[in-house]
Every structure is written in structure tokens, then in C-alpha cells.
Amino acid sequence: MKKSILIIFSLYAFNSYGQQALAKQGINIDSLFKSEQNIAIGKSFPLFTVYYHDKKYTNRNLLGKTIFINFWYTACAPCMAELSELNKLNDTLKSNKKFEFLSFTFDSPRVIRKIMKRFKIRYKIFSLEMKEFNRLSMYQFFPTSIIVGSDGKILFFKIGGSLNKEEVMNTIFLEYYPKILNAL
């Protein structure tokens, strides 16, 4: 049991801080995961059904919309560093009826409520069972951000993030935002 806990903790620690350590060694995280990201492009996003305030969200009822999906959890420092800028991205696009922002985590609903209050989050966050979270994120590191086109196919897939506020802002508004606009 102790060995399992140690392995799980080690994986979370690498995911949370290992990205930054690799970056400091001059290893480009994007190129490290590039093949994984490219494999997903053009494929259908995995089938899912989630509920938010009694409203059902599925692949089928989101067809026709461009969807930005973000996978994160609270112990992931780069994930947490993105939340404020992701909120701004949502605010910028939320009036567009052809856009949907979905956020998935395996954190509990209680933790989600605290995070939403702390960061004044105005987009939908769904708490998933770990197995479902991993399946939908295609078993990748975090944060993972995906743009799904109106046809349900993955247009963009990015793994990893930064703790640097300027890098986070540039990723979201110079990389994600134009790709979303292009897909709308």
C-alpha cells in the first residue's frame, strides 16, 4: 500500500513540477509531447456525458459548436496558473452561441466550489471519476487543452503549461484564442 501511494505521489509531483524542471534543462515540453498531440488531431473526441446544474452535455448535443476543453487538477501548479487567464478566455467568447468551454477535473465538487470562488471562475467545471478523466484526456499529463471542431473532431491538442504569467497569457491568447476563432 505504501509503495502504491509513493508511486501515485511521484506521478503527481512530476506532472506538477516536472514540466518546469524539464524546461529549465532546455527540454521543450511541446516537442516532447508533439507526437502524442499530433496523433489525436483529426480524430473524434471520445464520447462523454456530463451534467451541470441538471443540464446534460454530450458529444451529440454539442455538435455544431467549437469546444474548448481543459483538463486540470488542484495539485498541478501549471494547471492552477492558467485558471485566471482561462476565465478571461471564457469571458471573451461566452456570448458566441457556437462556442462552448468545458473544464474537467477529478477534484471533488467541494474542492471545485472553493476553486471557482477563489478564482471567480465563470465557466463550467465538471468533476469526473479518475478513470473517466484519464480516458477523456487520453491519459496525458496536465494541463491538457483541446479544441474540438463543430464536427466533433479534434483540431488542436496541447499538453503542459507554465508557471510564468506572461507565458500563460501568451499561450491562451496568442495560441488558443486564434485557433478557436478560426474554428468558429
Side-chain angles (χ1 to χ4, degrees):
M1 180 67 170
K2 287 182 183 180
K3 189 175 184 179
S4 296
I5 292 171
L6 180 62
I7 290 169
I8 291 169
F9 177 75
S10 297
L11 288 172
Y12 285 132
F14 172 76
N15 188 46
S16 298
Y17 301 101
Q19 294 175 30
Q20 299 308 313
L22 290 173
K24 286 179 183 176
Q25 294 174 30
I27 298 170
N28 184 319
I29 301 301
D30 286 338
S31 63
L32 183 64
F33 296 126
K34 193 70 128 181
S35 63
E36 291 294 323
Q37 296 168 26
N38 288 338
I39 289 170
I41 304 297
K43 292 186 178 175
S44 294
F45 187 75
L47 295 175
F48 69 92
T49 300
V50 292
Y51 294 88
Y52 191 83
H53 298 298
D54 297 326
K55 183 174 179 186
K56 184 177 179 180
Y57 292 84
T58 68
N59 299 62
R60 286 192 188 105
N61 69 13
L62 291 174
L63 282 175
K65 291 187 175 196
T66 297
I67 311 163
F68 179 79
I69 304 170
N70 182 254
F71 292 89
W72 64 280
Y73 63 99
T74 54
C76 168
C79 298
M80 299 306 290
E82 290 184 339
L83 293 180
S84 293
E85 293 303 318
L86 288 174
N87 209 27
K88 291 176 189 173
L89 176 69
N90 178 66
D91 288 348
T92 302
L93 293 164
K94 69 182 178 187
S95 64
N96 189 320
K97 301 283 186 220
K98 293 186 178 197
F99 174 75
E100 194 71 48
F101 188 122
L102 304 178
S103 180
F104 296 128
T105 183
F106 55 80
D107 287 312
S108 71
R110 181 183 60 79
V111 170
I112 292 171
R113 283 189 296 276
K114 286 181 181 179
I115 294 297
M116 289 183 84
K117 184 177 180 179
R118 177 176 165 203
F119 289 93
K120 298 177 176 73
I121 293 176
R122 293 171 293 280
Y123 52 83
K124 295 170 221 53
I125 299 176
F126 300 90
S127 177
L128 303 175
E129 295 292 324
M130 179 69 82
K131 185 176 178 182
E132 181 68 353
F133 179 82
N134 287 328
R135 184 184 73 82
L136 291 177
S137 68
M138 297 172 220
Y139 302 92
Q140 296 304 316
F141 289 100
F142 304 102
T144 294
S145 295
I146 300 172
I147 299 171
V148 179
S150 59
D151 62 355
K153 301 218 183 284
I154 297 170
L155 301 173
F156 176 79
F157 193 103
K158 182 172 175 129
I159 305 163
S162 175
L163 296 176
N164 178 289
K165 189 172 177 75
E166 186 175 333
E167 286 178 23
V168 169
M169 187 176 69
N170 287 340
T171 296
I172 291 169
F173 284 99
L174 298 180
E175 190 172 359
Y176 300 168
Y177 182 67
K179 289 181 183 345
I180 293 167
L181 287 181
N182 190 46
L184 287 172

